[in-house]
Amino acid sequence: MLQYVSLLSCALFTLFLSFAISRYLRRPNLDSIPTVGPGGLLTSYWGALVFLFHARETLQKGYTNYKGMAFKVPGLFYWNVILSGPKLVEEIRKAPEDYLSAREGFSDILKPKYTLGHETIHNPYHVSVILTQLTRNLAARFPDIIDEIKTSFDDNIQLVDYEWKSVPAYETIVRVVCRTSNRVFVGLPLCRDPDWNDLVSGFALDVVKVAVTIGLFPDFVAPFVGRLLSNLPRSVRRGMKHLQPIIEERQKNLDEYGSDWDEKPNDMLSWLMDEAEGEECSVQNLTRRMLTINFSAIHTSSINFTHALFYLAANPQYVEPLREEVEATIEEEGWSKNAIAKMRKVDSFLKETLRFEGLSFVSMLRKAVKDFTFSDGTLVPAGSMVSVASFPTHRDNETYENADVFDPFRFANEKQVKEQACQQMVSTNPEFLTFGHGKNACPGRFFAATELKAMLAHIVVTYDVKFENKGLRPANITFGAANSPNTKAKIMFRKRVV
Ligand code: HEM
């Protein structure tokens, strides 16, 4: 037995060593870029493991030593080139797609062939639908958004009188975000269908699980592992059971009455059907596209909102200023998109959450598809993965006063309000990177801001919230560059005592 174990260990070690050598020989030449942590043939694996569990500290160290320049940190299968400082961030923003490619960056990370579908990444027509149609229709669809927020909080929390009730925070927020988003994506009654909600919220987790697992194997094994693990065909079939009758009915009306038939639903599915061309018009591909949009929308918004809710629950002193603002605005305007736009403190609270927490410690991931030289002479060879050190940028005292303090109304003070437009949570800049920056910045951020602001406004005027036993905010969960609130933590709600 012992003999077999030693033989197997030897074989695995030889495989690992030959893989390490081939990775080392095939790597783009990044010698001129300083390394943070161990950088040798074998020690870089140790660096890659350290990065999995201490990405934040590693990035901070790189930023402190090389702010305004490039540095590199080892990953298991490639090196990450990390840039910082407004000048280099602007250069990434301006770099053409055929040099620093967002599409190829997403592709390397998300393994779309096995998770979202190749076309979704390489023919991203839904991105402009989100940016234009969804954003333009926010005011028109706002009554539905607020209605779904109110009913889904009611349905999910189910309070009795003025008693406190403890609920799993993240799970509850995912349900509210999922229903509210889908009210605009596919409308009633599907947005309340338990199987649809389960599918679209679970799909994102499947994508991440499969992509991360494939990413743990070298490229040549990816097709085997990918085919073995992929849930995409099953998820699309499950989604088609819901969408097929709706799409066929809408298609019939389109054929009969033309593109602007009376009663045509004003939702994401209709906008996609209007824009889709060729093969993309099929029920299967429209379903896949809808799954992708949900993938982009649900957990991104829920993670950030849960972070915000945790700050609110741990700091009762933040509640009153928010309530005053929301009540005054609603009294003047009623619940409308315009009212939401006027809520500066609510906006600032969420923007501060995005600055302080965010989804990831890095942003603006790109893959160099041709050699790219920055103005300071840094050469990033083709094949390298490039991103920006967003977390250390957001915590830089030279940019944000007391940057390590969560200061919910920092973007709502008088001076900031004068510079209104550029201080809102949807405005990206080289020092506010949670939505990315430039032509690839998140196209759903206008929708996300309206939805999340309406959720926060609704919570503060409807409920009291706290942690059990006057608890403090639970520690975040991090893995590699990803940053999430504790997804098991509970929050207590009760009807607001006026
Ligand atoms: C607080 C919530 C959200 C955050 C923090 C967020 C963040 C991001 C980030 C960082 C990117 C990559 C940007 C880059 O590479 O430079 C991105 C891309 C994207 N986001 Fe969001 N997002 C959020 C909500 C949403 C929502 C609600 C939608 C859809 C309605 C959405 C749709 C997308 C899409 C489709 C892309 C890919 C864009 C492309 O392919 O060029 N996001 N998002």
Side-chain angles (χ1 to χ4, degrees):
M1 180 67 183
L2 203 63
Q3 218 178 0
Y4 287 119
V5 173
S6 6
L7 257 175
L8 188 68
S9 311
C10 269
L12 283 176
F13 182 72
T14 315
L15 192 71
F16 169 72
L17 197 64
S18 49
F19 172 65
I21 292 170
S22 90
R23 165 197 186 249
Y24 192 76
L25 293 176
R26 280 187 297 114
R27 80 199 195 292
N29 187 347
L30 296 169
D31 291 348
S32 60
I33 300 179
T35 305
V36 175
L41 166 63
L42 294 177
T43 54
S44 64
Y45 281 98
W46 176 245
L49 284 178
V50 171
F51 191 76
L52 283 184
F53 299 101
H54 299 282
R56 186 181 144 166
E57 293 80 358
T58 309
L59 290 166
Q60 189 59 59
K61 193 170 162 196
Y63 187 83
T64 306
N65 292 340
Y66 306 109
K67 181 176 164 185
M69 297 160 60
F71 60 93
K72 67 179 185 292
V73 293
L76 283 177
F77 298 107
Y78 50 77
W79 285 85
N80 300 291
V81 177
I82 313 283
L83 297 144
S84 66
K87 195 158 180 280
L88 295 185
V89 174
E90 282 299 317
E91 289 180 30
I92 297 190
R93 179 179 72 78
K94 290 183 192 149
E97 175 71 18
D98 58 350
Y99 279 83
L100 296 185
S101 168
R103 304 254 79 75
E104 293 303 323
F106 291 149
S107 209
D108 262 38
I109 297 295
L110 293 173
K111 318 288 178 206
K113 204 167 162 195
Y114 313 104
T115 54
L116 299 166
H118 176 85
E119 278 306 293
T120 320
I121 295 284
H122 294 280
N123 172 14
Y125 78 92
H126 63 287
V127 172
S128 62
V129 172
I130 293 172
L131 198 55
T132 55
Q133 296 288 67
L134 179 62
T135 309
R136 267 187 225 141
N137 279 292
L138 284 175
R141 293 303 313 268
F142 190 79
D144 296 315
I145 294 175
I146 194 69
D147 177 59
E148 205 57 40
I149 288 173
K150 289 178 180 174
T151 48
S152 53
F153 269 115
D154 277 355
D155 293 349
N156 280 292
I157 302 184
Q158 300 195 354
L159 296 177
V160 179
D161 300 329
Y162 285 92
E163 278 169 32
W164 284 101
K165 182 169 176 189
S166 193
V167 297
Y170 186 66
E171 202 183 304
T172 306
I173 296 308
V174 168
R175 291 204 184 127
V176 173
V177 167
C178 190
R179 261 175 63 168
T180 307
S181 310
N182 276 279
R183 180 80 179 257
V184 183
F185 296 170
V186 290
L188 280 169
L190 185 55
C191 69
R192 294 186 186 167
D193 183 294
D195 186 66
W196 175 258
N197 281 310
D198 188 52
L199 168 67
V200 296
S201 55
F203 179 73
L205 302 179
D206 278 351
V207 169
V208 174
K209 247 186 287 170
V210 173
V212 168
T213 314
I214 298 174
L216 293 175
F217 292 88
D219 285 352
F220 68 90
V221 193
F224 304 104
V225 184
R227 260 177 232 120
L228 198 72
L229 298 182
S230 178
N231 282 329
L232 182 61
R234 207 171 336 134
S235 301
V236 172
R237 278 198 302 277
R238 189 169 155 203
M240 282 171 69
K241 278 197 202 140
H242 296 283
L243 287 186
Q244 181 144 19
I246 303 176
I247 294 173
E248 285 176 357
E249 172 72 18
R250 291 189 190 189
Q251 193 57 54
K252 212 173 90 199
N253 284 314
L254 264 173
D255 295 343
E256 213 165 309
Y257 308 114
S259 64
D260 274 326
W261 45 285
D262 286 350
E263 320 268 307
K264 178 179 169 185
N266 189 23
D267 63 16
M268 178 69 76
L269 182 59
S270 286
W271 308 324
L272 288 178
M273 288 176 74
D274 288 343
E275 291 303 315
E277 284 177 359
E279 302 239 303
E280 290 305 311
C281 301
S282 71
V283 173
Q284 190 182 27
N285 286 339
L286 285 166
T287 306
R288 187 181 305 158
R289 200 62 69 158
M290 195 56 88
L291 290 175
T292 299
I293 294 172
N294 273 286
F295 160 75
S296 314
I298 294 175
H299 291 275
T300 47
S301 302
S302 303
I303 285 174
N304 283 295
F305 194 81
T306 306
H307 276 306
L309 186 58
F310 284 180
Y311 282 112
L312 192 70
N315 297 281
Q317 73 277 17
Y318 298 155
V319 175
E320 219 32 61
L322 291 170
R323 273 183 184 157
E324 273 171 22
E325 178 182 84
V326 175
E327 284 179 337
T329 320
I330 296 304
E331 199 174 310
E332 218 173 277
E333 300 270 343
W335 282 101
S336 66
K337 164 77 175 65
N338 207 23
I340 294 296
K342 287 188 173 170
M343 294 177 190
R344 299 288 315 175
K345 287 187 179 147
V346 174
D347 193 285
S348 174
F349 196 100
L350 288 164
K351 178 168 178 177
E352 178 68 348
T353 308
L354 296 177
R355 176 190 79 84
F356 209 71
E357 299 292 352
L359 296 171
S360 169
F361 300 134
V362 296
S363 183
M364 296 180 80
L365 179 81
R366 304 288 179 260
K367 182 171 184 177
V369 282
K370 287 185 198 148
D371 290 1
F372 184 82
T373 308
F374 285 89
S375 62
D376 66 354
T378 302
L379 169 72
V380 178
S384 317
M385 295 296 266
V386 178
S387 52
V388 170
S390 52
F391 179 84
T393 306
H394 291 166
R395 296 293 188 98
D396 188 335
N397 283 317
E398 285 181 18
T399 312
Y400 297 99
E401 214 178 303
N402 292 327
D404 274 324
V405 174
F406 181 85
D407 175 3
F409 306 123
R410 72 164 71 229
F411 299 108
N413 67 36
E414 238 168 79
K415 181 174 165 287
Q416 305 280 12
V417 173
K418 275 193 194 130
E419 299 159 17
Q420 200 161 6
C422 61
Q423 290 304 331
Q424 287 172 353
M425 70 182 274
V426 289
S427 321
T428 68
N429 66 54
E431 280 144 355
F432 179 63
L433 295 157
T434 308
F435 287 117
H437 180 47
K439 57 187 175 302
N440 293 104
C442 174
R445 65 191 188 280
F446 304 95
F447 173 73
T450 300
E451 183 182 52
L452 301 189
K453 284 174 73 179
M455 283 169 62
L456 185 57
H458 172 66
I459 285 183
V460 294
V461 294
T462 315
Y463 303 109
D464 292 323
V465 289
K466 65 174 185 182
F467 281 112
E468 285 170 337
N469 309 320
K470 294 197 177 153
L472 296 174
R473 198 178 189 287
N476 290 345
I477 299 170
T478 64
F479 186 68
N483 182 32
S484 144
N486 182 321
T487 49
K488 299 277 177 254
K490 292 191 166 177
I491 287 269
M492 298 191 80
F493 282 83
R494 77 167 172 197
K495 266 187 217 159
R496 176 183 168 194
V497 178
V498 188

Coordinates of all heavy atoms in Angstrom, one line a residue, residues 162-169 309-316 319 323 459 463-474 489-495:
Y162 N -45.3 44.4 16.4 CA -44.0 45.1 16.5 C -42.9 44.2 17.1 O -42.0 44.7 17.6 CB -44.2 46.4 17.4 CG -45.0 47.4 16.6 CD1 -46.4 47.5 16.7 CD2 -44.4 48.3 15.8 CE1 -47.1 48.4 16.0 CE2 -45.1 49.2 15.0 CZ -46.4 49.3 15.1 OH -47.1 50.2 14.4
E163 N -43.1 42.9 16.8 CA -42.0 42.0 17.4 C -40.8 42.0 16.5 O -40.9 42.0 15.2 CB -42.6 40.6 17.5 CG -43.4 40.4 18.7 CD -44.2 39.1 18.7 OE1 -43.7 38.1 18.1 OE2 -45.3 39.1 19.3
W164 N -39.6 41.8 17.1 CA -38.4 41.6 16.3 C -38.4 40.2 15.7 O -38.8 39.3 16.3 CB -37.2 41.7 17.2 CG -36.8 43.1 17.6 CD1 -37.1 43.7 18.8 CD2 -36.1 44.1 16.9 NE1 -36.7 45.0 18.9 CE2 -36.0 45.3 17.7 CE3 -35.6 44.2 15.6 CZ2 -35.4 46.4 17.2 CZ3 -35.0 45.3 15.2 CH2 -34.9 46.5 16.0
K165 N -37.9 40.2 14.5 CA -37.7 38.9 13.8 C -36.3 38.8 13.2 O -35.9 39.7 12.5 CB -38.8 38.7 12.8 CG -38.7 37.3 12.1 CD -39.9 37.0 11.3 CE -39.8 35.7 10.5 NZ -40.8 35.6 9.5
S166 N -35.7 37.6 13.4 CA -34.3 37.4 12.9 C -34.4 36.7 11.5 O -35.1 35.7 11.4 CB -33.6 36.6 13.9 OG -32.2 36.6 13.6
V167 N -33.8 37.3 10.5 CA -33.8 36.6 9.2 C -32.4 36.5 8.6 O -31.5 37.4 8.9 CB -34.7 37.4 8.2 CG1 -36.1 37.4 8.6 CG2 -34.1 38.8 7.9
P168 N -32.1 35.5 7.8 CA -30.7 35.4 7.2 C -30.6 36.6 6.2 O -31.4 36.7 5.3 CB -30.8 34.1 6.4 CG -32.2 33.7 6.4 CD -33.0 34.4 7.4
A169 N -29.6 37.5 6.5 CA -29.6 38.8 5.7 C -29.3 38.6 4.2 O -30.1 39.0 3.4 CB -28.5 39.6 6.3
L309 N -26.4 47.1 4.5 CA -27.4 46.8 5.6 C -26.6 46.5 6.9 O -27.1 46.9 8.0 CB -28.2 45.6 5.1 CG -29.4 45.1 6.0 CD1 -30.4 46.2 6.2 CD2 -30.1 43.9 5.4
F310 N -25.5 45.8 6.8 CA -24.7 45.5 8.0 C -24.2 46.8 8.6 O -24.2 46.9 9.8 CB -23.5 44.6 7.6 CG -23.9 43.2 7.3 CD1 -22.9 42.2 7.0 CD2 -25.2 42.7 7.5 CE1 -23.2 40.9 6.8 CE2 -25.5 41.4 7.2 CZ -24.6 40.5 6.9
Y311 N -23.8 47.8 7.8 CA -23.3 49.1 8.4 C -24.5 49.8 9.1 O -24.4 50.4 10.2 CB -22.7 50.0 7.4 CG -21.3 49.6 7.1 CD1 -21.0 49.0 5.8 CD2 -20.3 49.7 8.0 CE1 -19.7 48.6 5.6 CE2 -19.0 49.2 7.8 CZ -18.7 48.7 6.5 OH -17.4 48.3 6.3
L312 N -25.7 49.7 8.5 CA -26.9 50.3 9.1 C -27.2 49.6 10.4 O -27.5 50.3 11.4 CB -28.0 50.2 8.1 CG -29.3 51.0 8.4 CD1 -29.0 52.5 8.2 CD2 -30.4 50.6 7.5
A313 N -27.2 48.3 10.4 CA -27.7 47.5 11.6 C -26.7 47.8 12.8 O -27.1 47.8 13.9 CB -27.8 46.1 11.3
A314 N -25.4 47.9 12.4 CA -24.4 48.1 13.5 C -24.3 49.5 14.0 O -23.6 49.8 14.9 CB -23.0 47.5 12.9
N315 N -24.9 50.4 13.3 CA -24.7 51.9 13.6 C -26.1 52.6 13.6 O -26.4 53.3 12.6 CB -23.8 52.5 12.6 CG -22.4 51.9 12.6 OD1 -21.6 52.3 13.5 ND2 -22.1 51.1 11.6
P316 N -26.9 52.4 14.7 CA -28.2 53.0 14.7 C -28.2 54.5 14.5 O -29.2 55.1 14.0 CB -28.7 52.7 16.1 CG -27.7 51.9 16.8 CD -26.5 51.7 15.9
V319 N -29.4 56.0 11.1 CA -30.7 55.8 10.6 C -31.5 57.1 10.5 O -32.1 57.4 9.5 CB -31.5 54.8 11.5 CG1 -33.0 54.7 11.1 CG2 -30.9 53.4 11.5
R323 N -33.7 58.6 7.4 CA -35.2 58.7 7.5 C -35.7 60.1 7.2 O -36.6 60.3 6.4 CB -35.6 58.4 8.9 CG -35.8 56.9 9.1 CD -36.3 56.6 10.5 NE -36.4 55.2 10.6 CZ -36.4 54.5 11.7 NH1 -36.3 55.1 12.9 NH2 -36.5 53.2 11.7
I459 N -36.4 50.5 3.5 CA -36.0 49.9 4.8 C -36.0 50.9 5.9 O -36.6 50.7 6.9 CB -34.6 49.2 4.7 CG1 -34.7 47.9 3.9 CG2 -34.1 48.9 6.1 CD1 -33.5 47.1 3.9
Y463 N -38.8 49.9 8.6 CA -38.3 49.0 9.7 C -37.3 49.6 10.6 O -36.7 50.6 10.3 CB -37.6 47.8 9.0 CG -38.4 47.0 8.0 CD1 -38.1 47.1 6.6 CD2 -39.5 46.2 8.4 CE1 -38.8 46.4 5.7 CE2 -40.2 45.5 7.4 CZ -39.9 45.6 6.1 OH -40.6 44.9 5.1
D464 N -37.2 48.9 11.8 CA -36.0 49.1 12.6 C -35.1 47.9 12.3 O -35.7 46.8 12.2 CB -36.4 49.2 14.1 CG -37.2 50.4 14.4 OD1 -36.9 51.5 13.9 OD2 -38.1 50.3 15.3
V465 N -33.8 48.0 12.3 CA -33.0 46.9 12.1 C -31.8 46.8 13.1 O -31.4 47.9 13.5 CB -32.3 46.9 10.6 CG1 -33.3 46.6 9.6 CG2 -31.6 48.1 10.3
K466 N -31.4 45.7 13.4 CA -30.2 45.5 14.3 C -29.6 44.1 14.2 O -30.3 43.2 13.7 CB -30.6 45.8 15.8 CG -31.6 44.8 16.4 CD -31.8 45.1 17.9 CE -32.7 44.0 18.5 NZ -33.0 44.2 19.9
F467 N -28.4 43.9 14.7 CA -27.9 42.6 14.8 C -28.4 41.9 16.1 O -28.7 42.7 17.0 CB -26.4 42.6 14.8 CG -25.7 42.8 13.5 CD1 -25.1 44.0 13.2 CD2 -25.8 41.8 12.5 CE1 -24.5 44.1 11.9 CE2 -25.3 42.0 11.3 CZ -24.6 43.2 11.0
E468 N -28.5 40.6 16.1 CA -28.9 39.9 17.3 C -27.9 40.3 18.4 O -26.7 40.5 18.2 CB -28.8 38.4 17.1 CG -29.9 37.9 16.3 CD -29.7 36.4 15.8 OE1 -28.6 35.9 15.8 OE2 -30.7 35.8 15.5
N469 N -28.4 40.4 19.7 CA -27.6 40.7 20.8 C -26.7 41.9 20.7 O -25.5 41.9 21.1 CB -26.6 39.5 21.2 CG -27.4 38.2 21.3 OD1 -28.5 38.2 21.8 ND2 -26.8 37.1 20.8
K470 N -27.3 42.9 20.0 CA -26.5 44.2 19.8 C -25.2 43.9 19.2 O -24.1 44.6 19.5 CB -26.3 45.0 21.1 CG -27.6 45.5 21.7 CD -27.4 46.5 22.7 CE -28.7 47.1 23.2 NZ -28.6 47.6 24.5
G471 N -25.1 42.9 18.3 CA -23.8 42.4 17.8 C -23.2 43.5 16.8 O -23.9 44.4 16.4
L472 N -21.9 43.3 16.6 CA -21.2 44.1 15.7 C -21.3 43.5 14.3 O -21.7 42.3 14.1 CB -19.8 44.2 16.1 CG -19.5 44.9 17.4 CD1 -18.1 44.9 17.8 CD2 -20.0 46.4 17.4
R473 N -20.9 44.3 13.3 CA -20.8 43.8 11.9 C -19.9 42.5 11.8 O -18.8 42.6 12.3 CB -20.2 44.9 11.1 CG -20.4 44.8 9.7 CD -19.7 46.0 9.0 NE -20.1 46.0 7.7 CZ -19.7 45.2 6.8 NH1 -18.8 44.3 7.1 NH2 -20.2 45.2 5.5
P474 N -20.4 41.4 11.3 CA -19.5 40.2 11.2 C -18.4 40.4 10.1 O -18.6 41.2 9.2 CB -20.5 39.1 10.7 CG -21.6 39.8 10.1 CD -21.7 41.2 10.7
A489 N -24.8 35.5 8.2 CA -25.2 36.3 9.3 C -26.7 36.7 9.2 O -27.3 36.7 8.2 CB -24.3 37.6 9.2
K490 N -27.2 36.9 10.4 CA -28.7 37.2 10.5 C -28.8 38.7 10.9 O -28.0 39.3 11.6 CB -29.3 36.3 11.5 CG -29.4 34.9 11.1 CD -30.3 34.1 12.0 CE -30.5 32.8 11.3 NZ -31.3 31.9 12.1
I491 N -29.9 39.2 10.5 CA -30.3 40.6 10.8 C -31.7 40.5 11.5 O -32.5 39.8 11.0 CB -30.4 41.5 9.6 CG1 -29.0 41.8 9.0 CG2 -31.1 42.8 9.8 CD1 -28.3 43.0 9.6
M492 N -31.9 41.4 12.5 CA -33.3 41.4 13.1 C -34.0 42.6 12.5 O -33.5 43.7 12.4 CB -33.2 41.6 14.6 CG -32.5 40.4 15.2 SD -32.6 40.3 16.9 CE -34.3 39.7 17.1
F493 N -35.3 42.4 12.1 CA -36.2 43.4 11.6 C -37.4 43.5 12.6 O -37.8 42.5 13.1 CB -36.7 43.1 10.2 CG -35.8 43.3 9.1 CD1 -34.8 42.3 8.8 CD2 -35.9 44.4 8.3 CE1 -34.0 42.5 7.7 CE2 -35.0 44.6 7.2 CZ -34.1 43.6 6.9
R494 N -37.9 44.7 12.7 CA -39.3 44.9 13.3 C -39.9 46.1 12.6 O -39.2 46.9 12.0 CB -39.2 45.0 14.8 CG -38.9 46.4 15.2 CD -39.1 46.7 16.7 NE -38.5 48.0 17.0 CZ -38.3 48.4 18.2 NH1 -38.6 47.6 19.2 NH2 -37.8 49.6 18.4
K495 N -41.3 46.1 12.7 CA -42.0 47.2 12.1 C -41.4 48.5 12.8 O -41.3 48.4 14.0 CB -43.5 47.1 12.3 CG -44.2 46.5 11.2 CD -45.7 46.5 11.4 CE -46.3 45.3 10.9 NZ -47.6 45.0 11.4

